Amino acid sequence: MIQIQVVTGAQISEFLDALAVLRIAIFRDFPYLYEGTLEYEKSYLSTYAKSNGALVVLILDDGKVVGASTGLPLSEETIEFKQPFIDAGYNVDEIFYCAESVLLPAYRGRGLGKRFLKSEKRMQSKSRE
């Protein structure tokens, strides 16, 4: 059974392993050809788990993470990531960074990506209130 679940802040921690495995699986294929490690991915994703404003929209199939859309306030990203925006004159306190949206190939073409992007937009609106 396919479910969409939104997790925020510290709740993200319980999904770090599954998200890391998913990202490696997706980014290994063309056009990325990425050879990431579980340790790096978990470290990268820990930024989201430490952010009160971060959110991850998960697509679960019988409890297994098969897709995810990630985002967080740009002000809570690492300095290496936000510095180019600062240098270009953007106020990082006013930007919500929609990072990656990934979905295993077997689940594509079912409208799931649209559903999790709608969930992400709703969560962004709530976080601004």
Side-chain angles (χ1 to χ4, degrees):
M1 179 170 154
I2 303 290
Q3 279 183 288
I4 294 182
Q5 179 179 344
V6 178
V7 292
T8 59
Q11 294 174 310
I12 296 167
S13 293
E14 64 190 85
F15 295 96
L16 289 182
D17 286 336
L19 289 167
V21 168
L22 174 67
R23 286 172 50 85
I24 290 169
I26 297 292
F27 295 141
R28 180 181 304 132
D29 290 339
F30 184 81
Y32 306 103
L33 305 176
Y34 170 67
E35 292 293 331
T37 66
L38 191 61
E39 294 76 27
Y40 173 81
E41 289 300 321
K42 286 173 61 175
S43 174
Y44 168 78
L45 292 163
S46 71
T47 302
Y48 291 82
K50 294 174 188 171
S51 167
N52 289 330
L55 64 95
V56 176
V57 180
L58 301 166
I59 295 182
L60 305 164
D61 186 358
D62 287 328
K64 179 184 176 196
V65 176
V66 298
S69 184
T70 58
L72 79 163
L74 187 57
S75 62
E76 296 180 25
E77 249 295 359
T78 61
I79 189 64
E80 298 84 9
F81 190 85
K82 64 184 171 184
Q83 191 62 53
F85 292 90
I86 294 167
D87 292 346
Y90 290 98
N91 181 349
V92 295
D93 293 326
E94 296 177 353
I95 300 171
F96 187 88
Y97 172 57
C98 294
E100 294 88 16
S101 292
V102 293
L103 185 62
L104 290 174
Y107 294 86
R108 295 177 189 163
R110 300 183 189 184
L112 296 169
K114 291 176 188 174
R115 285 178 51 196
F116 71 48
L117 289 174
K118 285 180 184 176
S119 296
E120 186 175 77
K121 286 180 185 177
R122 282 194 298 270
M123 289 302 296
Q124 287 174 31
S125 295
K126 287 180 183 179
S127 71
R128 291 185 188 131
E129 294 174 355

